[in-house]
């Protein structure tokens, strides 16, 4: 992991340039951030543009480092163009799920590439579930599929309890996007990783069951 493909480089550059424009231009930031009232008023471009803005340098750096480490898995096992489909599709699904959960909160706003990056992470896990991840606060390797399931379960917990100033729903939506798009692009996974497909689907099913029950 960690090779810089040209597509990954372009996406990182776009995020950096647009985010820094937003850091220094409040009007630009407000015009293109995710904002429920404005989107429902017809400004659907915000569903896409908000994914290239960030709240601060730390937020930007974390997302871009994560993208850098996981993008190569998806590019290698799919292709650069298919990776781009995963990235953009996950960004949009993340924004749409966020809109679905906050549709009656007209003042709700958010920014960040986290939905797109979550989709890339989930795609990489689906394509290579046996890889191990090393997290800086845990000294032992974690199987990728356990991390993916745990990540989404934490996102559900975060959505339910409104933990932190974090768009947990966009993260979750991005992961759903990465999951579905990867399966569409790689139907061979149903022959090789059917059990893993089922396991990774469990948190997604749980989310919509809880939503239907009014628990979220």
């Amino acid at each position: 992991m960690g090779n810089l493909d040209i597509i990954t480089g372009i996406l990182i550059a776009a995020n950096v340039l647009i985010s820094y424009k937003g850091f220094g231009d409040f009007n630009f930031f407000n015009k293109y951030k995710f904002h429920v009232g404005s989107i429902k008023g017809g400004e659907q471009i915000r569903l896409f543009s908000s994914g290239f803005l960030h709240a601060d340098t730390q937020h930007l750096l974390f997302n871009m480092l994560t993208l850098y480490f996981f993008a190569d898995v998806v590019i290698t096992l799919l292709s650069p163009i298919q990776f781009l489909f995963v990235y953009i599709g996950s960004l949009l699904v993340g924004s749409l799920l966020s809109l679905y959960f906050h549709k009656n909160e007209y003042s709700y706003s958010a920014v960040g590439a986290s939905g797109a990056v979550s989709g890339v992470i989930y795609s990489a896990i689906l394509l290579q579930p046996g890889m191990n991840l090393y997290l800086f606060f845990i000294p032992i390797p974690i199987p990728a599929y356990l991390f993916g399931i745990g990540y989404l379960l934490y996102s559900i917990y975060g959505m339910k309890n409104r933990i932190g100033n974090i768009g947990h729903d966009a993260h979750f939506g991005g992961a759903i996007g990465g999951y579905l798009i990867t399966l569409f692009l790689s139907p061979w996974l149903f022959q090789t990783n059917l059990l893993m497909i089922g396991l990774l689907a469990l948190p997604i099913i749980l989310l919509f069951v809880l939503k239907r029950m009014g628990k979220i």
Side-chain angles (χ1 to χ4, degrees), residues 62-99:
F62 179 80
N63 275 337
M64 294 305 98
L65 280 174
T66 306
L67 175 62
Y68 171 74
F69 284 116
F70 283 93
D72 192 53
V73 175
V74 181
I75 290 169
T76 300
L77 295 174
L78 294 179
S79 73
I81 295 301
Q82 289 179 325
F83 160 73
L84 190 60
F85 287 154
V86 170
Y87 185 93
I88 298 299
S90 298
L91 189 165
L92 292 173
V93 175
S95 290
L96 288 170
L97 190 72
S98 191
L99 183 63

CSV table of all heavy atoms in Angstrom, one decimal, residues 62-99:
chain,number,residue,atom,x,y,z
A,62,PHE,N,-5.6,14.1,7.6
A,62,PHE,CA,-6.0,12.8,8.0
A,62,PHE,C,-6.7,12.1,6.8
A,62,PHE,O,-6.4,10.9,6.5
A,62,PHE,CB,-7.0,12.9,9.2
A,62,PHE,CG,-7.5,11.5,9.6
A,62,PHE,CD1,-6.7,10.7,10.4
A,62,PHE,CD2,-8.7,11.1,9.2
A,62,PHE,CE1,-7.2,9.5,10.8
A,62,PHE,CE2,-9.2,9.9,9.6
A,62,PHE,CZ,-8.4,9.0,10.4
A,63,ASN,N,-7.6,12.8,6.1
A,63,ASN,CA,-8.3,12.2,5.0
A,63,ASN,C,-7.3,11.8,3.8
A,63,ASN,O,-7.5,10.8,3.2
A,63,ASN,CB,-9.4,13.1,4.5
A,63,ASN,CG,-10.7,12.9,5.3
A,63,ASN,OD1,-10.9,11.9,5.9
A,63,ASN,ND2,-11.5,13.9,5.3
A,64,MET,N,-6.4,12.7,3.5
A,64,MET,CA,-5.5,12.5,2.4
A,64,MET,C,-4.5,11.4,2.7
A,64,MET,O,-4.2,10.6,1.8
A,64,MET,CB,-4.8,13.8,2.0
A,64,MET,CG,-5.7,14.9,1.5
A,64,MET,SD,-6.7,14.3,0.1
A,64,MET,CE,-8.3,13.9,0.9
A,65,LEU,N,-4.0,11.3,3.9
A,65,LEU,CA,-3.1,10.2,4.3
A,65,LEU,C,-3.9,8.9,4.2
A,65,LEU,O,-3.3,7.9,3.7
A,65,LEU,CB,-2.6,10.4,5.7
A,65,LEU,CG,-1.4,11.4,5.9
A,65,LEU,CD1,-1.1,11.6,7.3
A,65,LEU,CD2,-0.2,10.9,5.1
A,66,THR,N,-5.1,8.8,4.7
A,66,THR,CA,-5.9,7.6,4.6
A,66,THR,C,-6.1,7.2,3.2
A,66,THR,O,-6.0,6.0,2.8
A,66,THR,CB,-7.2,7.8,5.3
A,66,THR,OG1,-7.0,8.2,6.7
A,66,THR,CG2,-8.0,6.5,5.4
A,67,LEU,N,-6.5,8.2,2.3
A,67,LEU,CA,-6.7,7.9,0.9
A,67,LEU,C,-5.4,7.3,0.3
A,67,LEU,O,-5.4,6.4,-0.5
A,67,LEU,CB,-7.1,9.2,0.2
A,67,LEU,CG,-7.2,9.1,-1.3
A,67,LEU,CD1,-8.3,8.1,-1.7
A,67,LEU,CD2,-7.5,10.5,-1.9
A,68,TYR,N,-4.3,8.0,0.6
A,68,TYR,CA,-3.0,7.5,0.0
A,68,TYR,C,-2.7,6.1,0.4
A,68,TYR,O,-2.2,5.3,-0.5
A,68,TYR,CB,-1.9,8.4,0.6
A,68,TYR,CG,-0.5,8.0,0.3
A,68,TYR,CD1,0.1,8.1,-1.0
A,68,TYR,CD2,0.3,7.4,1.3
A,68,TYR,CE1,1.4,7.7,-1.2
A,68,TYR,CE2,1.6,7.0,1.1
A,68,TYR,CZ,2.1,7.2,-0.2
A,68,TYR,OH,3.4,6.7,-0.5
A,69,PHE,N,-3.0,5.6,1.6
A,69,PHE,CA,-2.6,4.3,2.0
A,69,PHE,C,-3.6,3.2,1.5
A,69,PHE,O,-3.1,2.1,1.3
A,69,PHE,CB,-2.6,4.2,3.5
A,69,PHE,CG,-1.3,4.8,4.1
A,69,PHE,CD1,-1.4,5.9,4.9
A,69,PHE,CD2,-0.1,4.3,3.8
A,69,PHE,CE1,-0.2,6.5,5.4
A,69,PHE,CE2,1.1,4.8,4.3
A,69,PHE,CZ,1.0,6.0,5.1
A,70,PHE,N,-4.8,3.6,1.2
A,70,PHE,CA,-5.8,2.6,0.7
A,70,PHE,C,-6.0,2.6,-0.8
A,70,PHE,O,-6.5,1.6,-1.3
A,70,PHE,CB,-7.1,2.7,1.5
A,70,PHE,CG,-7.1,2.2,2.9
A,70,PHE,CD1,-6.8,3.0,3.9
A,70,PHE,CD2,-7.3,0.9,3.1
A,70,PHE,CE1,-6.7,2.5,5.2
A,70,PHE,CE2,-7.3,0.3,4.4
A,70,PHE,CZ,-7.0,1.2,5.5
A,71,ALA,N,-5.8,3.7,-1.4
A,71,ALA,CA,-6.1,3.8,-2.9
A,71,ALA,C,-5.4,2.8,-3.7
A,71,ALA,O,-6.0,2.2,-4.7
A,71,ALA,CB,-5.7,5.2,-3.4
A,72,ASP,N,-4.1,2.5,-3.4
A,72,ASP,CA,-3.4,1.6,-4.2
A,72,ASP,C,-3.9,0.2,-4.3
A,72,ASP,O,-3.8,-0.5,-5.3
A,72,ASP,CB,-1.9,1.6,-3.7
A,72,ASP,CG,-1.0,0.9,-4.7
A,72,ASP,OD1,-1.0,1.3,-5.9
A,72,ASP,OD2,-0.3,0.0,-4.4
A,73,VAL,N,-4.6,-0.3,-3.2
A,73,VAL,CA,-5.2,-1.6,-3.2
A,73,VAL,C,-6.3,-1.7,-4.2
A,73,VAL,O,-6.4,-2.6,-5.0
A,73,VAL,CB,-5.7,-1.9,-1.8
A,73,VAL,CG1,-6.5,-3.3,-1.8
A,73,VAL,CG2,-4.6,-2.0,-0.8
A,74,VAL,N,-7.1,-0.6,-4.3
A,74,VAL,CA,-8.3,-0.6,-5.2
A,74,VAL,C,-7.8,-0.4,-6.6
A,74,VAL,O,-8.3,-1.1,-7.5
A,74,VAL,CB,-9.2,0.6,-4.8
A,74,VAL,CG1,-10.4,0.6,-5.7
A,74,VAL,CG2,-9.7,0.4,-3.3
A,75,ILE,N,-6.8,0.4,-6.8
A,75,ILE,CA,-6.3,0.7,-8.2
A,75,ILE,C,-5.6,-0.6,-8.7
A,75,ILE,O,-5.8,-1.0,-9.9
A,75,ILE,CB,-5.3,1.8,-8.2
A,75,ILE,CG1,-6.0,3.2,-7.9
A,75,ILE,CG2,-4.5,1.9,-9.5
A,75,ILE,CD1,-5.1,4.3,-7.6
A,76,THR,N,-4.9,-1.3,-7.9
A,76,THR,CA,-4.2,-2.5,-8.3
A,76,THR,C,-5.2,-3.6,-8.7
A,76,THR,O,-5.0,-4.3,-9.7
A,76,THR,CB,-3.2,-3.0,-7.2
A,76,THR,OG1,-2.3,-2.0,-7.0
A,76,THR,CG2,-2.5,-4.3,-7.7
A,77,LEU,N,-6.2,-3.8,-7.8
A,77,LEU,CA,-7.1,-4.9,-8.0
A,77,LEU,C,-8.3,-4.6,-8.9
A,77,LEU,O,-9.0,-5.5,-9.4
A,77,LEU,CB,-7.6,-5.4,-6.7
A,77,LEU,CG,-6.5,-6.0,-5.8
A,77,LEU,CD1,-7.1,-6.3,-4.4
A,77,LEU,CD2,-5.9,-7.3,-6.4
A,78,LEU,N,-8.5,-3.3,-9.2
A,78,LEU,CA,-9.5,-2.9,-10.2
A,78,LEU,C,-8.8,-2.2,-11.3
A,78,LEU,O,-8.1,-2.9,-12.1
A,78,LEU,CB,-10.6,-2.0,-9.5
A,78,LEU,CG,-11.5,-2.7,-8.5
A,78,LEU,CD1,-12.5,-1.6,-7.9
A,78,LEU,CD2,-12.2,-3.8,-9.0
A,79,SER,N,-8.9,-0.9,-11.4
A,79,SER,CA,-8.1,-0.1,-12.3
A,79,SER,C,-8.2,1.3,-11.9
A,79,SER,O,-9.1,1.7,-11.1
A,79,SER,CB,-8.7,-0.3,-13.8
A,79,SER,OG,-10.0,0.4,-13.8
A,80,PRO,N,-7.3,2.2,-12.4
A,80,PRO,CA,-7.4,3.6,-12.0
A,80,PRO,C,-8.8,4.2,-12.3
A,80,PRO,O,-9.3,5.0,-11.5
A,80,PRO,CB,-6.3,4.3,-12.9
A,80,PRO,CG,-5.3,3.2,-13.1
A,80,PRO,CD,-6.1,2.0,-13.3
A,81,ILE,N,-9.4,3.9,-13.4
A,81,ILE,CA,-10.7,4.5,-13.8
A,81,ILE,C,-11.8,4.0,-12.9
A,81,ILE,O,-12.7,4.7,-12.4
A,81,ILE,CB,-11.1,4.3,-15.2
A,81,ILE,CG1,-10.1,5.0,-16.2
A,81,ILE,CG2,-12.5,4.7,-15.5
A,81,ILE,CD1,-10.0,6.5,-16.0
A,82,GLN,N,-11.7,2.7,-12.6
A,82,GLN,CA,-12.7,2.1,-11.7
A,82,GLN,C,-12.5,2.6,-10.3
A,82,GLN,O,-13.5,2.8,-9.5
A,82,GLN,CB,-12.6,0.6,-11.7
A,82,GLN,CG,-13.1,0.0,-13.1
A,82,GLN,CD,-13.0,-1.5,-13.1
A,82,GLN,OE1,-12.1,-2.1,-12.6
A,82,GLN,NE2,-14.0,-2.2,-13.8
A,83,PHE,N,-11.3,2.8,-9.9
A,83,PHE,CA,-11.0,3.5,-8.6
A,83,PHE,C,-11.7,4.8,-8.5
A,83,PHE,O,-12.3,5.2,-7.5
A,83,PHE,CB,-9.5,3.6,-8.3
A,83,PHE,CG,-9.2,4.6,-7.3
A,83,PHE,CD1,-9.4,4.4,-5.9
A,83,PHE,CD2,-8.6,5.8,-7.7
A,83,PHE,CE1,-9.0,5.3,-5.0
A,83,PHE,CE2,-8.3,6.8,-6.7
A,83,PHE,CZ,-8.5,6.5,-5.4
A,84,LEU,N,-11.6,5.6,-9.6
A,84,LEU,CA,-12.3,6.9,-9.6
A,84,LEU,C,-13.8,6.8,-9.5
A,84,LEU,O,-14.4,7.6,-8.8
A,84,LEU,CB,-11.9,7.6,-10.9
A,84,LEU,CG,-12.3,9.1,-11.0
A,84,LEU,CD1,-11.6,9.9,-10.0
A,84,LEU,CD2,-11.9,9.6,-12.4
A,85,PHE,N,-14.4,5.8,-10.1
A,85,PHE,CA,-15.8,5.5,-9.9
A,85,PHE,C,-16.1,5.3,-8.5
A,85,PHE,O,-17.1,5.8,-8.0
A,85,PHE,CB,-16.2,4.3,-10.8
A,85,PHE,CG,-16.3,4.6,-12.3
A,85,PHE,CD1,-16.2,3.5,-13.2
A,85,PHE,CD2,-16.5,5.8,-12.8
A,85,PHE,CE1,-16.2,3.7,-14.5
A,85,PHE,CE2,-16.6,6.1,-14.1
A,85,PHE,CZ,-16.4,5.0,-15.0
A,86,VAL,N,-15.3,4.5,-7.8
A,86,VAL,CA,-15.5,4.1,-6.4
A,86,VAL,C,-15.4,5.4,-5.6
A,86,VAL,O,-16.3,5.7,-4.7
A,86,VAL,CB,-14.5,3.1,-5.9
A,86,VAL,CG1,-14.5,3.0,-4.4
A,86,VAL,CG2,-14.7,1.8,-6.6
A,87,TYR,N,-14.4,6.3,-5.8
A,87,TYR,CA,-14.2,7.5,-5.1
A,87,TYR,C,-15.4,8.4,-5.2
A,87,TYR,O,-16.0,8.9,-4.2
A,87,TYR,CB,-12.9,8.1,-5.5
A,87,TYR,CG,-12.5,9.4,-4.7
A,87,TYR,CD1,-11.7,9.2,-3.6
A,87,TYR,CD2,-13.0,10.6,-5.0
A,87,TYR,CE1,-11.4,10.3,-2.8
A,87,TYR,CE2,-12.7,11.7,-4.2
A,87,TYR,CZ,-11.9,11.6,-3.1
A,87,TYR,OH,-11.6,12.7,-2.4
A,88,ILE,N,-15.7,8.8,-6.5
A,88,ILE,CA,-16.8,9.8,-6.7
A,88,ILE,C,-18.1,9.2,-6.3
A,88,ILE,O,-19.0,9.9,-5.7
A,88,ILE,CB,-16.8,10.2,-8.2
A,88,ILE,CG1,-15.5,10.8,-8.6
A,88,ILE,CG2,-18.0,11.1,-8.5
A,88,ILE,CD1,-15.1,12.1,-7.9
A,89,GLY,N,-18.4,7.9,-6.6
A,89,GLY,CA,-19.6,7.3,-6.3
A,89,GLY,C,-19.8,7.3,-4.8
A,89,GLY,O,-20.9,7.6,-4.2
A,90,SER,N,-18.8,7.0,-4.0
A,90,SER,CA,-18.9,6.9,-2.6
A,90,SER,C,-19.1,8.3,-2.0
A,90,SER,O,-19.9,8.5,-1.0
A,90,SER,CB,-17.6,6.3,-2.0
A,90,SER,OG,-17.4,5.0,-2.4
A,91,LEU,N,-18.4,9.3,-2.6
A,91,LEU,CA,-18.6,10.7,-2.1
A,91,LEU,C,-20.1,11.0,-2.2
A,91,LEU,O,-20.7,11.6,-1.3
A,91,LEU,CB,-17.8,11.6,-3.0
A,91,LEU,CG,-17.7,13.1,-2.6
A,91,LEU,CD1,-16.5,13.7,-3.4
A,91,LEU,CD2,-18.9,13.9,-2.9
A,92,LEU,N,-20.7,10.7,-3.4
A,92,LEU,CA,-22.1,11.1,-3.6
A,92,LEU,C,-23.1,10.3,-2.8
A,92,LEU,O,-24.1,10.8,-2.2
A,92,LEU,CB,-22.5,10.9,-5.1
A,92,LEU,CG,-21.8,11.9,-6.0
A,92,LEU,CD1,-22.0,11.5,-7.5
A,92,LEU,CD2,-22.2,13.3,-5.8
A,93,VAL,N,-22.8,9.0,-2.6
A,93,VAL,CA,-23.7,8.2,-1.7
A,93,VAL,C,-23.6,8.7,-0.3
A,93,VAL,O,-24.6,8.7,0.4
A,93,VAL,CB,-23.4,6.7,-1.8
A,93,VAL,CG1,-24.2,5.9,-0.8
A,93,VAL,CG2,-23.6,6.2,-3.3
A,94,GLY,N,-22.4,9.0,0.1
A,94,GLY,CA,-22.2,9.6,1.5
A,94,GLY,C,-23.0,10.9,1.7
A,94,GLY,O,-23.7,11.0,2.7
A,95,SER,N,-23.0,11.7,0.7
A,95,SER,CA,-23.8,13.0,0.8
A,95,SER,C,-25.3,12.7,0.8
A,95,SER,O,-26.0,13.3,1.5
A,95,SER,CB,-23.4,13.9,-0.4
A,95,SER,OG,-22.1,14.4,-0.3
A,96,LEU,N,-25.7,11.7,-0.1
A,96,LEU,CA,-27.1,11.4,-0.2
A,96,LEU,C,-27.7,10.8,1.1
A,96,LEU,O,-28.8,11.1,1.6
A,96,LEU,CB,-27.4,10.5,-1.4
A,96,LEU,CG,-27.2,11.2,-2.7
A,96,LEU,CD1,-27.3,10.1,-3.8
A,96,LEU,CD2,-28.3,12.2,-2.9
A,97,LEU,N,-26.9,10.0,1.8
A,97,LEU,CA,-27.3,9.4,3.0
A,97,LEU,C,-27.4,10.4,4.1
A,97,LEU,O,-28.3,10.4,4.9
A,97,LEU,CB,-26.4,8.2,3.5
A,97,LEU,CG,-26.9,7.4,4.6
A,97,LEU,CD1,-28.1,6.5,4.2
A,97,LEU,CD2,-25.8,6.5,5.3
A,98,SER,N,-26.4,11.3,4.1
A,98,SER,CA,-26.4,12.4,5.0
A,98,SER,C,-27.6,13.3,4.8
A,98,SER,O,-28.3,13.7,5.8
A,98,SER,CB,-25.1,13.3,4.9
A,98,SER,OG,-25.0,14.2,5.9
A,99,LEU,N,-28.0,13.6,3.6
A,99,LEU,CA,-29.2,14.3,3.3
A,99,LEU,C,-30.4,13.6,3.8
A,99,LEU,O,-31.4,14.2,4.3
A,99,LEU,CB,-29.3,14.6,1.8
A,99,LEU,CG,-30.4,15.5,1.3
A,99,LEU,CD1,-30.4,16.9,1.9
A,99,LEU,CD2,-30.5,15.5,-0.2
